[in-house]
C-alpha cells in the first residue's frame, strides 16, 4: 500500500525544489525526508527525483505521480468531508421494533420531534410482538426494540422506561360496571383480548391465574384499535394498557375502569450490550427516554 505521508512529502519536495525545504515545511529532519522518498521509490520500483541545476525536479515517472497525488488528495478531502458530516450532523438509519400500542400512542410525537430536529435521520419502525423483536435485536437485524418486559437474553441490555397500568374497558351500551373490576368478574364476561403470542396477553393471563381464574375470550386480536372497536360495538369487555384508551387513545363509546388488584406492564428499550451507539441511535434513545419520563 502507498503511504499517504510519503506522497505528501514527495509533492512538497517538488514544490520547494529541495529535500531541506520539504523537511522544514513538515517539521522533520532532512534524513527523515530522504528516507521517505527512498521507501516510496522502492515501493514503486522507479526513480522519482533528479537534480537539475541543484534543484530537485520530478522524473517522467515523478510527473505522472504528481498528477495521481492530486487525484488522491481530492479523494481524501472528499472522504474527510463525508466523515466530518457524520461527526457534526445526526443522520443515517435506525431500525426500531415495537408493539402496536406503543407505536400508536407513544411514538408519533417522538418521531415527529426527531424529524423536525434531524431531517437526515431516518427511523424505520416495525410492529409485532416482543419475542420476535428480541430475536431480531439479538441477531443484530434490528437496532432497538421498545417492548414489554420480561426480556431474558444475556446478549441484550433492557432499560426499563415506563410503567403502564392496565384498565378494563366496556361499551357504554352495556350495563354499568361495578366499582371494582376483578378477575372473578371478568372471567364470567365475554372477553376480547390480545392474541396469545403477545407479551401483553401473557401478563393478562397471569393476572387471572393468580386469582384462580382462566379467561375464555370470544375473540383474540392483534390490533388494539380492532379490540376497541369490537368492545365499543358491545361484543365483550377487554383489558388494555391505559395509554391505549386515554389521551389521544380515548374512544367516545367506551367506559374505562381500573382493575383490582392493579395490573401493569413495564416497557423497556432493548439493544445488544456490545452494539456501538452512533449519533443517530443516541438521539433516538434519548428522545424515547425523555418522552417516557414526562
Amino acid at each position: 500500500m502507498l503511504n499517504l505521508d510519503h506522497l505528501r512529502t514527495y509533492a512538497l519536495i517538488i514544490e520547494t525544489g529541495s529535500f531541506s525545504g520539504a523537511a522544514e515545511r513538515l517539521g522533520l529532519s532532512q534524513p527523515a525526508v530522504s528516507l521517505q522518498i527512498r521507501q516510496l521509490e522502492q515501493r514503486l520500483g522507479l526513480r522519482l527525483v533528479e537534480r537539475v541545476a541543484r534543484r530537485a525536479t520530478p522524473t517522467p515517472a515523478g510527473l505522472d505521480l504528481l498528477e495521481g497525488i492530486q487525484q488522491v488528495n481530492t479523494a481524501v478531502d472528499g472522504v474527510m468531508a463525508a466523515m466530518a458530516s457524520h461527526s457534526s450532523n445526526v443522520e443515517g438509519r435506525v431500525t426500531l421494533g415495537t408493539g402496536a400500542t406503543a407505536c400508536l400512542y407513544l411514538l408519533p410525537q417522538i418521531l415527529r420531534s426527531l424529524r423536525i430536529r434531524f431531517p437526515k435521520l431516518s427511523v424505520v419502525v416495525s410492529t409485532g410482538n416482543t419475542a420476535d423483536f428480541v430475536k431480531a435485536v439479538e441477531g443484530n437485524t434490528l437496532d432497538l426494540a421498545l417492548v414489554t418486559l420480561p426480556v431474558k437474553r444475556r446478549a441484550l441490555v433492557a432499560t426499563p422506561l415506563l410503567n403502564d397500568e392496565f384498565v378494563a374497558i366496556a361499551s357504554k351500551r352495556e350495563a354499568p360496571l361495578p366499582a371494582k373490576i376483578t378477575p372473578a368478574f371478568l372471567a364470567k364476561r365475554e372477553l376480547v383480548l390480545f392474541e396469545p403470542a403477545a407479551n401483553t396477553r401473557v401478563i393478562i393471563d397471569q393476572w387471572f391465574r393468580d386469582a384462580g381464574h382462566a379467561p375464555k375470550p370470544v375473540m383474540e386480536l392483534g390490533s388494539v384499535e380492532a379490540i376497541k372497536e369490537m368492545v365499543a360495538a358491545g361484543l365483550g369487555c377487554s383489558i388494555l394498557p391505559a395509554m391505549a384508551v386515554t389521551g389521544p387513545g380515548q374512544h367516545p363509546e367506551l367506559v374505562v375502569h381500573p382493575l383490582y388488584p392493579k395490573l401493569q406492564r413495564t416497557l423497556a428499550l432493548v439493544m445488544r450490550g456490545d452494539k456501538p451507539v452512533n449519533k443517530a441511535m443516541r438521539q433516538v434513545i434519548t428522545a424515547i427516554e425523555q418522552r417516557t419520563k414526562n
Side-chain angles (χ1 to χ4, degrees):
M1 298 293 293
L2 289 174
N3 187 309
L4 294 181
D5 288 337
H6 292 180
L7 296 179
R8 182 187 179 201
T9 297
Y10 176 74
L12 280 175
I13 289 172
I14 303 304
E15 179 184 336
T16 61
S18 69
F19 282 68
S20 59
E24 184 177 353
R25 292 272 294 271
L26 292 169
L28 299 174
S29 66
Q30 185 170 330
V33 168
S34 298
L35 176 61
Q36 287 189 22
I37 299 307
R38 283 200 303 274
Q39 291 175 339
L40 180 60
E41 289 179 330
Q42 289 171 359
R43 171 66 184 83
L44 297 175
L46 295 166
R47 187 180 176 192
L48 300 173
V49 181
E50 58 186 4
R51 292 188 178 277
V52 177
R54 303 182 63 181
R55 181 178 177 86
T57 60
T59 63
L63 283 172
D64 288 342
L65 178 61
L66 285 174
E67 292 182 9
I69 290 173
Q70 291 177 354
Q71 296 174 10
V72 169
N73 287 339
T74 300
V76 170
D77 289 343
V79 170
M80 296 305 293
M83 295 303 100
S85 173
H86 282 284
S87 177
S88 60
N89 299 321
V90 176
E91 58 185 22
R93 182 174 182 267
V94 177
T95 53
L96 170 68
T98 191
T101 305
C103 183
L104 285 170
Y105 308 113
L106 182 62
L107 285 183
Q109 291 187 9
I110 295 173
L111 297 178
R112 180 176 182 274
S113 174
L114 287 169
R115 175 64 61 86
I116 292 172
R117 293 171 57 204
F118 309 112
K120 294 183 179 181
L121 171 62
S122 173
V123 183
V124 181
V125 180
S126 304
T127 58
N129 61 62
T130 293
D132 290 340
F133 287 143
V134 166
K135 290 179 182 178
V137 172
E138 189 173 39
N140 203 33
T141 59
L142 197 64
D143 294 321
L144 302 166
L146 181 61
V147 294
T148 302
L149 292 180
V151 172
K152 297 179 180 179
R153 296 292 178 95
R154 289 185 178 181
L156 304 182
V157 174
T159 304
L161 298 177
L162 175 68
N163 291 325
D164 187 25
E165 189 172 336
F166 284 84
V167 293
I169 63 170
S171 172
K172 287 184 176 179
R173 306 176 187 182
E174 301 296 310
L177 297 179
K180 290 184 177 181
I181 308 298
T182 64
F185 172 78
L186 288 178
K188 299 176 183 177
R189 303 291 296 266
E190 292 185 331
L191 296 174
V192 182
L193 297 179
F194 283 105
E195 58 190 5
N199 246 23
T200 301
R201 174 63 184 279
V202 173
I203 294 171
I204 292 171
D205 286 351
Q206 187 61 51
W207 182 73
F208 278 101
R209 282 196 297 270
D210 289 344
H213 298 279
K216 298 177 181 179
V218 296
M219 290 187 187
E220 297 175 320
L221 303 172
S223 164
V224 65
E225 284 298 311
I227 291 174
K228 289 163 64 174
E229 292 302 325
M230 295 299 176
V231 173
L235 298 177
C237 298
S238 187
I239 297 175
L240 290 178
M243 73 165 62
V245 289
T246 58
Q250 286 182 331
H251 193 294
E253 298 300 322
L254 296 176
V255 291
V256 180
H257 286 266
L259 297 175
Y260 184 84
K262 288 185 176 182
L263 176 64
Q264 68 178 24
R265 65 172 181 166
T266 301
L267 290 178
L269 196 60
V270 176
M271 62 179 292
R272 284 191 62 92
D274 59 357
K275 188 175 183 69
V277 179
N278 57 32
K279 284 196 171 186
M281 283 183 61
R282 174 52 56 200
Q283 290 299 333
V284 173
I285 292 169
T286 300
I288 294 173
E289 289 176 341
Q290 290 177 345
R291 174 63 180 168
T292 52
K293 287 178 182 178
N294 295 335

